[in-house]
Amino acid sequence: MLRIVVLVSGGGTNLQAVIDAVDAGRITNTEIVGVISNNKSAYALTRAKRHKIPSKCISPKDFETREEFNRVFLEKIRELHPDLIVLAGFLVVIPESMVQEYRNRIINIHPSLIPSFCGTGYYGLKVHEAALARGVKLTGATVHFVDEGTDTGPILLQKAVEVKEGDTPEILQRRVMEEAEWKILPQAIDLIANGKVRVANGAAMIEKEIN
Ligand code: GRF
């Protein structure tokens, strides 16, 4: 059983997609052992409680220094003994010490086709605003492993989504979630849980089944 901890900040629709996929057997060999939010009022915490998943809130705002937050944050993660940490709309920068300790064991979902519209400042609706401003015809989502940079780690899965005439950032965000994020995040977890992913030399590889 792969023990996963899901880190969230907001609505938690990606968390819900993971919960639903576990329940439906689309993710196998996986147990969600905890949900951590940096935001007390995140609806994601309600989703966790409803599914009886242990949840906690830990916010940098409640600590005098970032170092102190990072230390306690890492302790809380360690207590859960995760095999994989899943960032599902988590808006706090992952401490370098955590990246090192959980090397190739942290994944993130980003709502664009990396390397487009990613890096510092590209989060939430800003990503979709930028895609519309540039006039791209295709956007999408990416699941990648987390390294010391922002959205720079090895790419595991990507799925393209069409941009349509008349799209607003909100409409595009919703389409990217429905058609890409809610599919590739559960798929990525299932692949990892079933030993199908290898990361070497900065690249993630998926073992294909031979029929
Ligand atoms: C998603 O678009 C995710 O890709 C981004 O933040 C959003 C979180 O949505 N990083 P939710 O909390 O999963 O509903």
Side-chain angles (χ1 to χ4, degrees):
M1 277 291 206
L2 187 85
R3 295 173 59 88
I4 66 169
V5 171
V6 185
L7 308 188
V8 294
S9 297
T13 61
N14 278 288
L15 166 67
Q16 190 67 53
V18 173
I19 293 171
D20 292 347
V22 170
D23 286 351
R26 278 178 280 115
I27 299 178
T28 56
N29 297 321
T30 299
E31 187 188 355
I32 308 171
V33 295
V35 168
I36 297 181
S37 171
N38 65 304
N39 169 8
K40 286 181 194 60
S41 52
Y43 187 65
L45 288 172
T46 307
R47 294 180 193 271
K49 286 194 189 89
R50 206 189 274 158
H51 289 269
K52 303 197 166 45
I53 301 165
S55 60
K56 282 191 179 94
C57 176
I58 172 169
S59 168
K61 289 187 199 139
D62 299 331
F63 294 85
E64 278 190 10
T65 64
R66 193 62 174 212
E67 289 67 34
E68 186 60 6
F69 164 76
N70 286 349
R71 193 182 60 73
V72 177
F73 183 31
L74 185 54
E75 262 171 27
K76 295 219 182 292
I77 293 280
R78 280 187 189 136
E79 280 167 15
L80 294 163
H81 302 288
D83 300 308
L84 182 71
I85 299 168
V86 178
L87 312 186
F90 190 57
L91 295 176
V92 175
V93 175
I94 299 300
E96 231 174 86
S97 51
M98 196 182 291
V99 173
Q100 281 159 13
E101 189 165 324
Y102 291 91
R103 173 84 56 202
N104 300 334
R105 289 191 291 152
I106 309 176
I107 57 170
N108 180 46
I109 176 86
H110 182 77
S112 76
L113 294 173
I114 290 175
S116 291
F117 314 117
C118 65
T120 308
Y122 286 99
Y123 60 89
L125 276 179
K126 290 181 197 294
V127 178
H128 306 290
E129 282 163 6
L132 290 175
R134 185 61 185 85
V136 294
K137 304 302 179 206
L138 279 178
T139 183
T142 303
V143 175
H144 65 92
F145 285 94
V146 172
D147 65 8
E148 284 81 352
T150 306
D151 302 328
T152 52
I155 290 172
L156 175 54
L157 290 176
Q158 292 191 298
K159 191 165 191 299
V161 172
E162 216 184 310
V163 179
K164 295 188 180 165
E165 227 180 280
D167 273 354
T168 61
E170 290 80 5
I171 292 171
L172 185 56
Q173 178 181 51
R174 182 75 192 180
R175 188 178 312 117
V176 168
M177 284 176 155
E178 283 176 359
E179 293 184 12
E181 295 183 48
W182 301 343
K183 293 184 176 165
I184 62 173
L185 186 60
Q187 198 185 336
I189 296 168
D190 185 60
L191 286 168
I192 294 168
N194 289 288
K196 303 252 173 71
V197 177
R198 249 179 340 116
V199 189
N201 308 319
M205 277 152 297
I206 300 168
E207 275 175 33
K208 295 268 184 277
E209 243 136 22
I210 303 159
N211 296 311

PDB file of all heavy atoms in Angstrom, residues 10-14 89 109 111 177 181, ligand 1:
ATOM      1  N   GLY A  10      -7.141  25.067  -1.038  1.00  0.00           N
ATOM      2  CA  GLY A  10      -8.419  25.671  -1.424  1.00  0.00           C
ATOM      3  C   GLY A  10      -9.564  24.692  -1.509  1.00  0.00           C
ATOM      4  O   GLY A  10      -9.799  23.895  -0.603  1.00  0.00           O
ATOM      5  N   GLY A  11     -10.249  24.732  -2.642  1.00  0.00           N
ATOM      6  CA  GLY A  11     -11.482  23.976  -2.821  1.00  0.00           C
ATOM      7  C   GLY A  11     -11.321  22.470  -2.737  1.00  0.00           C
ATOM      8  O   GLY A  11     -12.237  21.754  -2.338  1.00  0.00           O
ATOM      9  N   GLY A  12     -10.186  21.976  -3.149  1.00  0.00           N
ATOM     10  CA  GLY A  12      -9.923  20.553  -3.014  1.00  0.00           C
ATOM     11  C   GLY A  12     -10.604  19.666  -4.039  1.00  0.00           C
ATOM     12  O   GLY A  12     -10.849  18.482  -3.775  1.00  0.00           O
ATOM     13  N   THR A  13     -10.873  20.196  -5.237  1.00  0.00           N
ATOM     14  CA  THR A  13     -11.494  19.323  -6.246  1.00  0.00           C
ATOM     15  C   THR A  13     -10.512  18.251  -6.712  1.00  0.00           C
ATOM     16  O   THR A  13     -10.928  17.145  -7.065  1.00  0.00           O
ATOM     17  CB  THR A  13     -12.026  20.117  -7.460  1.00  0.00           C
ATOM     18  OG1 THR A  13     -10.950  20.790  -8.097  1.00  0.00           O
ATOM     19  CG2 THR A  13     -13.092  21.115  -7.038  1.00  0.00           C
ATOM     20  N   ASN A  14      -9.238  18.558  -6.733  1.00  0.00           N
ATOM     21  CA  ASN A  14      -8.251  17.537  -7.095  1.00  0.00           C
ATOM     22  C   ASN A  14      -8.161  16.465  -6.009  1.00  0.00           C
ATOM     23  O   ASN A  14      -8.043  15.278  -6.313  1.00  0.00           O
ATOM     24  CB  ASN A  14      -6.884  18.164  -7.366  1.00  0.00           C
ATOM     25  CG  ASN A  14      -6.794  18.733  -8.769  1.00  0.00           C
ATOM     26  OD1 ASN A  14      -6.720  17.986  -9.742  1.00  0.00           O
ATOM     27  ND2 ASN A  14      -6.839  20.053  -8.879  1.00  0.00           N
ATOM     28  N   GLY A  89      -2.989  21.701  -5.518  1.00  0.00           N
ATOM     29  CA  GLY A  89      -3.400  23.094  -5.337  1.00  0.00           C
ATOM     30  C   GLY A  89      -2.829  23.688  -4.064  1.00  0.00           C
ATOM     31  O   GLY A  89      -3.446  24.551  -3.442  1.00  0.00           O
ATOM     32  N   ILE A 109       0.421  18.977  -9.260  1.00  0.00           N
ATOM     33  CA  ILE A 109      -0.395  19.167 -10.467  1.00  0.00           C
ATOM     34  C   ILE A 109      -0.370  20.658 -10.799  1.00  0.00           C
ATOM     35  O   ILE A 109      -0.610  21.492  -9.938  1.00  0.00           O
ATOM     36  CB  ILE A 109      -1.849  18.642 -10.268  1.00  0.00           C
ATOM     37  CG1 ILE A 109      -2.737  18.915 -11.482  1.00  0.00           C
ATOM     38  CG2 ILE A 109      -2.527  19.212  -9.035  1.00  0.00           C
ATOM     39  CD1 ILE A 109      -2.682  17.881 -12.545  1.00  0.00           C
ATOM     40  N   PRO A 111      -1.720  23.608 -13.670  1.00  0.00           N
ATOM     41  CA  PRO A 111      -2.748  23.726 -14.706  1.00  0.00           C
ATOM     42  C   PRO A 111      -2.290  24.361 -16.020  1.00  0.00           C
ATOM     43  O   PRO A 111      -2.936  25.265 -16.545  1.00  0.00           O
ATOM     44  CB  PRO A 111      -3.827  24.580 -14.021  1.00  0.00           C
ATOM     45  CG  PRO A 111      -3.073  25.433 -13.077  1.00  0.00           C
ATOM     46  CD  PRO A 111      -1.878  24.628 -12.624  1.00  0.00           C
ATOM     47  N   MET A 177      -9.522  21.599 -15.471  1.00  0.00           N
ATOM     48  CA  MET A 177      -9.703  20.681 -14.337  1.00  0.00           C
ATOM     49  C   MET A 177     -10.435  19.417 -14.775  1.00  0.00           C
ATOM     50  O   MET A 177      -9.962  18.300 -14.547  1.00  0.00           O
ATOM     51  CB  MET A 177     -10.513  21.370 -13.229  1.00  0.00           C
ATOM     52  CG  MET A 177      -9.731  22.371 -12.432  1.00  0.00           C
ATOM     53  SD  MET A 177     -10.860  23.154 -11.269  1.00  0.00           S
ATOM     54  CE  MET A 177      -9.699  23.647 -10.011  1.00  0.00           C
ATOM     55  N   GLU A 181      -6.803  17.814 -15.236  1.00  0.00           N
ATOM     56  CA  GLU A 181      -6.283  17.643 -13.872  1.00  0.00           C
ATOM     57  C   GLU A 181      -6.897  16.450 -13.138  1.00  0.00           C
ATOM     58  O   GLU A 181      -6.176  15.641 -12.546  1.00  0.00           O
ATOM     59  CB  GLU A 181      -6.534  18.905 -13.048  1.00  0.00           C
ATOM     60  CG  GLU A 181      -5.781  20.109 -13.558  1.00  0.00           C
ATOM     61  CD  GLU A 181      -5.982  21.325 -12.678  1.00  0.00           C
ATOM     62  OE1 GLU A 181      -5.861  21.212 -11.450  1.00  0.00           O
ATOM     63  OE2 GLU A 181      -6.253  22.407 -13.225  1.00  0.00           O
TER      64      GLU A 181
HETATM   65  C1  GRF B   1      -5.867  23.557  -9.537  1.00  0.00           C
HETATM   66  O1  GRF B   1      -6.096  24.245 -10.734  1.00  0.00           O
HETATM   67  C2  GRF B   1      -4.443  23.130  -9.475  1.00  0.00           C
HETATM   68  O2  GRF B   1      -3.902  22.739 -10.690  1.00  0.00           O
HETATM   69  C3  GRF B   1      -3.805  24.414  -9.041  1.00  0.00           C
HETATM   70  O3  GRF B   1      -4.695  24.921  -8.073  1.00  0.00           O
HETATM   71  C4  GRF B   1      -6.010  24.478  -8.348  1.00  0.00           C
HETATM   72  C5  GRF B   1      -6.523  23.796  -7.123  1.00  0.00           C
HETATM   73  O4  GRF B   1      -7.845  23.431  -7.209  1.00  0.00           O
HETATM   74  N1  GRF B   1      -2.443  24.233  -8.687  1.00  0.00           N
HETATM   75  P1  GRF B   1      -8.498  22.459  -6.133  1.00  0.00           P
HETATM   76  O5  GRF B   1      -8.205  23.006  -4.755  1.00  0.00           O
HETATM   77  O6  GRF B   1      -7.955  21.090  -6.343  1.00  0.00           O
HETATM   78  O7  GRF B   1      -9.980  22.526  -6.431  1.00  0.00           O
END
